[in-house]
């Protein structure tokens, strides 16, 4: 009897033991693979965030580089006083740029300016010639792109950037091609001038990027010295051209879960239910933490950090989604007088004003509409199921709302707004084509008011300037 009971109980105990051993062995095979996938996902998101940040900086420089008057005063007949006032002092005074250099079509340095507070910093104290040598690969890339020729229509920015580290100081170095916007003036030679600008990164680079992207134990150093198991992204170059990598301790949810579960392994045999409950709770916390961290990083990659609006990376997917169900109204909106606000009241006031404008845009739009900040003082809207007439009426009302006075830093401020509208039937064209039409409508509106009397426009493209 006892022998039979022992055989029955022994078989059950052996079966449970084999099951527990099997369950315990499964994590050992999956931990490395799961943690590697998490690390690769983090590296991709950080790299994409850095690229988007640099693209936003390059796009902001177009306010100075895509300008007919800049071509006339720098290329056609160099005017030092105009260049110093409208390029050098304007850039340093209204943006985070602290060094400006202009290279003419022959490759000569014709203008340099450094913020007085930064002249003794390690990067800037080396002088314009050394900085120009650092920027030579960027300048070469700009010239290669320039050789491809300028496509018809709205000029696209031609710029290349890199992060350079000198000692503990990091600087974003950019080279941008000067281009005419309305072609009232064109470069006289084969090559147009190039703007080289430098933006110091506040604090250490690892602190700046680590805090921006929520990285744990972020450090900077030569890429070849990053230890095994740390996540890394090559983000900068040193004075000798050696690649500098941002590295951090990646999230290891699978390894953390295994380590936390090991002390409970012995107790599992006696208190299986308790251990399963604890393991389930630990798993849930680890997964929730991972999902929340990934959600924050995805949000940072697809939304403007200043206004909270979706950025240009979300435009194409949202357009494709809306165009499947019916007509889509594409609106490109540009603020009038914003640069004057920046010049007069400073960068902080300009940022506060952009936040207020974004709030008015979100409040005015319908629940199904989408609002985007494309960069600088440019915004875009996508509206579905709306006729051209209603879309234009809405845009007029929206521009009137934007042009109402603002109270920024206890000072009243007023700006205007211009818009370009293109209503696209379902599936008729691509996102790029639709936005190109709306951009051209916006440019025609600004060009009409700036240069020529109003002319008749196609019925599908509506333009308006308010303020």
């Amino acid at each position: 009897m006892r022998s039979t009971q022992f055989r029955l109980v022994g078989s059950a105990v052996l079966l449970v033991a084999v099951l527990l051993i099997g369950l315990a062995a499964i994590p050992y095979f999956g931990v490395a693979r799961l943690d590697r996938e998490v690390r690769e996902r983090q590296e991709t998101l950080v790299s994409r965030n850095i690229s988007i940040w640099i693209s936003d900086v390059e796009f902001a420089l177009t306010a100075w580089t895509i300008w007919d008057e800049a071509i006339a005063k720098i290329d056609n007949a160099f005017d030092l006083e105009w260049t110093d006032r409208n390029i050098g002092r304007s850039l340093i005074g209204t943006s985070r740029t602290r060094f400006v250099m202009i290279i003419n079509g022959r490759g000569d340095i014709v203008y340099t300016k450094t913020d007085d507070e930064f002249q003794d910093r390690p990067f800037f104290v080396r002088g314009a010639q050394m900085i120009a040598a650092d920027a030579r690969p960027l300048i070469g890339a700009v010239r290669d792109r320039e050789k491809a020729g300028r496509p018809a229509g709205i000029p696209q920015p031609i710029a290349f950037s890199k992060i350079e580290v000198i000692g503990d100081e990091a600087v974003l170095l950019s080279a941008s091609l000067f281009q005419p916007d309305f072609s009232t003036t064109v470069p006289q030679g084969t090559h147009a001038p190039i703007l080289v600008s430098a933006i110091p990164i506040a604090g250490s680079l690892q602190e700046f990027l680590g805090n921006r992207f929520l990285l744990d134990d972020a450090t900077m150093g030569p890429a070849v010295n990053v230890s095994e198991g740390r996540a890394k992204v090559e983000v900068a170059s040193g004075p000798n051209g050696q690649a500098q990598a941002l590295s951090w301790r990646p999230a290891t949810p699978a390894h953390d879960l295994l380590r936390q579960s090991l002390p409970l392994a012995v107790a599992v045999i006696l208190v299986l239910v308790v251990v399963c409950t604890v393991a389930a709770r630990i798993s849930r916390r680890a997964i929730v933490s991972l999902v929340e961290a990934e959600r924050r990083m995805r949000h940072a990659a697809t939304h403007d950090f200043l206004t909270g609006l979706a950025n240009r990376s979300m435009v194409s997917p949202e357009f494709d989604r809306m165009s499947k169900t019916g007509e889509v109204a594409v609106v490109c909106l540009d603020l009038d007088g914003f640069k004057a606000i920046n010049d007069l009241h400073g960068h902080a006031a300009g940022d506060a004003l952009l936040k207020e404008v974004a709030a008015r845009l979100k409040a005015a739009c319908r629940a199904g509409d989408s609002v985007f900040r494309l960069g600088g003082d440019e915004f875009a809207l996508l509206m579905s199921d709306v006729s051209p007439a209603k879309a234009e009426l809405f845009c007029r009302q929206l521009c009137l709302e934007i042009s109402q006075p603002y109270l920024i830093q206890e000072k009243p401020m007023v700006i205007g707004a211009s818009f370009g509208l293109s209503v696209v039937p379902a599936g008729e064209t691509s996102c790029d084509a639709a936005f190109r039409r709306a951009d051209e409508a916006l440019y025609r509106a600004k060009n009409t008011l700036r240069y020529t009397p109003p002319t008749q426009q196609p019925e599908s493209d509506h333009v308006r300037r308010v303020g």
Side-chain angles (χ1 to χ4, degrees):
M1 183 69 175
R2 289 183 178 179
S3 176
T4 302
Q5 290 178 345
F6 178 78
R7 286 197 299 271
L8 292 174
V9 173
S11 299
V13 170
L14 180 62
L15 180 61
V16 171
V18 170
L19 179 60
L20 291 176
I21 292 173
L23 291 175
I26 290 175
Y28 286 98
F29 294 99
V31 161
R33 181 179 61 83
L34 292 174
D35 286 347
R36 183 174 63 254
E37 291 176 355
V38 170
R39 183 181 65 188
E40 292 172 352
R41 187 180 298 116
Q42 277 190 319
E43 290 172 343
T44 300
L45 290 172
V46 169
S47 178
R48 187 178 302 166
N49 271 274
I50 293 173
S51 297
I52 291 174
W53 171 63
I54 292 176
S55 295
D56 287 343
V57 171
E58 293 175 347
F59 188 84
L61 291 173
T62 60
W64 290 269
T65 57
I66 301 181
W67 190 8
D68 282 351
E69 191 172 0
I71 295 294
K73 298 295 186 180
I74 298 175
D75 180 83
N76 295 176
F78 183 70
D79 186 332
L80 178 60
E81 181 182 356
W82 184 95
T83 302
D84 183 62
R85 182 178 66 253
N86 293 281
I87 303 297
R89 283 186 289 168
S90 177
L91 261 171
I92 292 175
T94 63
S95 71
R96 292 185 290 273
T97 301
R98 292 297 171 260
F99 171 83
V100 176
M101 175 168 58
I102 297 177
I103 298 175
N104 65 16
R106 297 185 299 275
D108 301 325
I109 299 174
V110 296
Y111 176 81
T112 63
K113 188 174 184 64
T114 305
D115 191 327
D116 294 339
E117 297 181 5
F118 288 78
Q119 289 182 351
D120 297 329
R121 296 283 186 90
F123 179 85
F124 302 96
V125 76
R126 300 175 304 150
Q129 292 294 339
M130 287 296 296
I131 297 175
D134 293 342
R136 189 171 294 117
L138 304 178
I139 296 170
V142 170
R143 290 300 186 206
D144 290 341
R145 180 73 65 81
E146 183 184 22
K147 291 178 183 177
R150 174 184 170 184
I154 302 169
Q156 298 299 316
I158 298 177
F160 292 88
S161 303
K162 69 174 181 177
I163 298 175
E164 187 161 331
V165 178
I166 304 293
D168 293 331
E169 184 175 61
V171 172
L172 177 63
L173 191 63
S174 301
S176 307
L177 184 70
F178 282 98
Q179 302 178 74
D181 49 359
F182 298 105
S183 297
T184 59
T185 304
V186 297
Q188 292 183 340
T190 305
H191 298 300
I194 291 177
L195 171 69
V196 176
S197 60
I199 299 178
I201 296 175
S204 65
L205 186 58
Q206 60 265 31
E207 179 183 355
F208 174 78
L209 296 176
N211 293 339
R212 186 180 181 92
F213 304 130
L214 309 175
L215 305 180
D216 187 16
D217 187 28
T219 60
M220 280 293 302
V224 296
N225 295 341
V226 178
S227 60
E228 185 73 21
R230 287 180 65 85
K232 68 176 181 179
V233 174
E234 293 185 9
V235 298
S237 60
N240 57 355
Q242 186 181 35
Q244 301 287 307
L246 171 70
S247 67
W248 67 93
R249 185 167 54 244
T252 55
H255 183 271
D256 294 343
L257 176 61
L258 178 62
R259 186 177 62 251
Q260 294 172 19
S261 300
L262 282 177
L264 304 177
V266 175
V268 167
I269 301 175
L270 302 176
V271 285
L272 182 60
V273 175
V274 174
V275 171
C276 289
T277 303
V278 172
R281 290 179 178 177
I282 293 174
S283 300
R284 183 176 180 277
R285 285 198 297 269
I287 293 172
V288 169
S289 175
L290 174 62
V291 170
E292 179 61 21
E294 186 171 349
R295 185 195 65 79
R296 290 197 300 267
M297 294 184 72
R298 288 186 180 277
H299 185 273
T302 57
H303 288 73
D304 176 49
F305 71 94
L306 177 65
T307 62
L309 297 177
N311 61 27
R312 63 176 59 247
S313 67
M314 293 295 292
V315 170
S316 182
E318 190 66 12
F319 177 86
D320 293 342
R321 182 187 67 81
M322 286 187 174
S323 62
K324 293 178 181 178
T325 60
E327 285 188 330
V328 178
V330 178
V331 182
C332 289
L333 190 144
D334 187 83
L335 303 183
D336 300 323
F338 177 74
K339 187 174 183 298
I341 295 292
N342 260 342
D343 292 342
L344 182 62
H345 299 287
H347 189 69
D351 286 350
L353 180 59
L354 287 175
K355 292 180 181 179
E356 292 293 330
V357 171
R360 292 190 183 184
L361 286 173
K362 288 190 288 187
C365 290
R366 303 174 303 174
D369 298 341
S370 297
V371 187
F372 309 87
R373 184 189 176 201
L374 303 182
D377 59 353
E378 296 187 14
F379 299 83
L381 285 77
L382 293 179
M383 298 183 292
S384 60
D385 299 326
V386 60
S387 66
K390 289 184 178 180
E392 182 177 3
L393 177 60
F394 174 79
C395 290
R396 291 171 185 258
Q397 295 171 342
L398 185 61
C399 288
L400 287 173
E401 175 66 22
I402 292 174
S403 64
Q404 296 303 308
Y406 299 81
L407 186 62
I408 305 296
Q409 298 177 350
E410 300 182 353
K411 300 175 184 177
M413 299 182 187
V414 178
I415 58 173
S418 302
F419 72 88
L421 169 65
S422 178
V423 178
V424 182
E428 179 180 284
T429 187
S430 65
C431 177
D432 288 343
F435 266 84
R436 191 178 306 114
R437 289 169 56 185
D439 270 340
E440 290 171 353
L442 174 60
Y443 266 72
R444 287 197 299 270
K446 285 181 168 290
N447 195 21
T448 297
L449 292 173
R450 187 181 302 179
Y451 296 108
T452 62
T455 59
Q456 185 176 356
Q457 305 293 343
E459 294 183 358
S460 59
D461 296 339
H462 303 272
V463 296
R464 180 66 175 172
R465 182 179 177 123
V466 178

